[in-house]
Amino acid sequence: VEAISRGKMVVEKVRPRLAPEIASFITRISAGARALKPEDVMAAFGEKAFLALTIDAHLMGIVGWQVENLVARCDDIFLDPALPVEEATRLLTEEIERASRDLQCEVSLVFLPSQSVRYEQAWRGLGYEPRTVQSLGVRAWQEAALETQSNGEIMLFKQLRKDRVLRPV
């Protein structure tokens, strides 16, 4: 943990060539609950982008996210337990929100396993709030949430822009 606290956290977009490293990292961090092969990760690149959080070139966190219908969705979140959760979450979220705003996203949705209380507090500190699908109100937002949310996941919501995009961008 000492080396981790001294290194600088860097967030960068992940390239498909890192699929083997990502697969072994997710398998290790999830304690085998998500046992992935490099092919599984390569297939996921077809539908989402991945951000890596590294310290001194060591992979310490992975976040998978996608944008569709002006909704950013983040649902694959794997952070090394040695990381300071608030700082790691802030750095990853800032990058996701920056890219999402560039793509004119109206909202950002984060999906966390129900046992991720530490992560939930970090996102709440960044302006996200727990919501139900029904409470989102906008049909496109609800559809995106229903498409992504798994059983037992907590959905967190943050509006990225006040004005709705009512015509295709």
Side-chain angles (χ1 to χ4, degrees):
V1 176
E2 273 184 47
I4 290 169
S5 61
R6 283 200 298 269
K8 182 178 189 291
M9 284 191 244
V10 176
V11 173
E12 54 199 353
K13 197 170 179 189
V14 177
R15 303 284 174 238
R17 64 181 158 72
L18 290 177
E21 188 179 356
I22 294 167
S24 67
F25 177 80
I26 290 174
T27 300
R28 179 176 60 83
I29 292 298
S30 72
R34 287 277 303 271
L36 298 178
K37 297 183 194 75
E39 309 82 79
D40 300 326
V41 176
M42 288 300 291
F45 271 102
E47 49 188 62
K48 62 179 66 171
F50 290 91
L51 291 176
L53 187 141
T54 59
I55 297 177
D56 299 328
H58 292 291
L59 184 59
M60 299 296 291
I62 285 285
V63 172
W65 67 287
Q66 64 191 111
V67 170
E68 193 177 354
N69 293 331
L70 307 175
V71 178
R73 295 179 278 171
C74 179
D75 65 342
D76 282 325
I77 302 157
F78 299 94
L79 300 176
D80 190 296
L83 283 172
V85 174
E86 283 78 12
E87 185 181 358
T89 302
R90 180 183 55 77
L91 290 171
L92 288 161
T93 302
E94 283 173 357
E95 183 58 28
I96 290 170
E97 288 181 6
R98 184 197 59 70
S100 298
R101 283 188 175 96
D102 288 350
L103 295 168
Q104 305 296 311
C105 285
E106 297 170 336
V107 298
S108 178
L109 302 175
V110 174
F111 299 88
L112 299 172
S114 57
Q115 66 273 23
S116 299
V117 176
R118 285 176 64 211
Y119 297 156
E120 182 182 347
Q121 292 307 318
W123 259 283
R124 282 178 177 238
L126 297 169
Y128 284 76
E129 59 186 46
R131 284 281 186 91
T132 62
V133 172
Q134 296 75 18
S135 74
L136 293 177
V138 177
R139 197 168 91 224
W141 301 354
Q142 292 172 332
E143 287 170 1
L146 286 169
E147 190 177 298
T148 307
Q149 193 167 28
S150 301
N151 279 343
E153 281 186 326
I154 299 165
M155 181 177 65
L156 302 175
F157 166 92
K158 182 176 183 180
Q159 192 158 351
L160 298 178
R161 42 184 298 158
K162 295 290 175 220
D163 55 319
R164 296 271 333 281
V165 176
L166 301 174
R167 294 191 313 268
V169 178

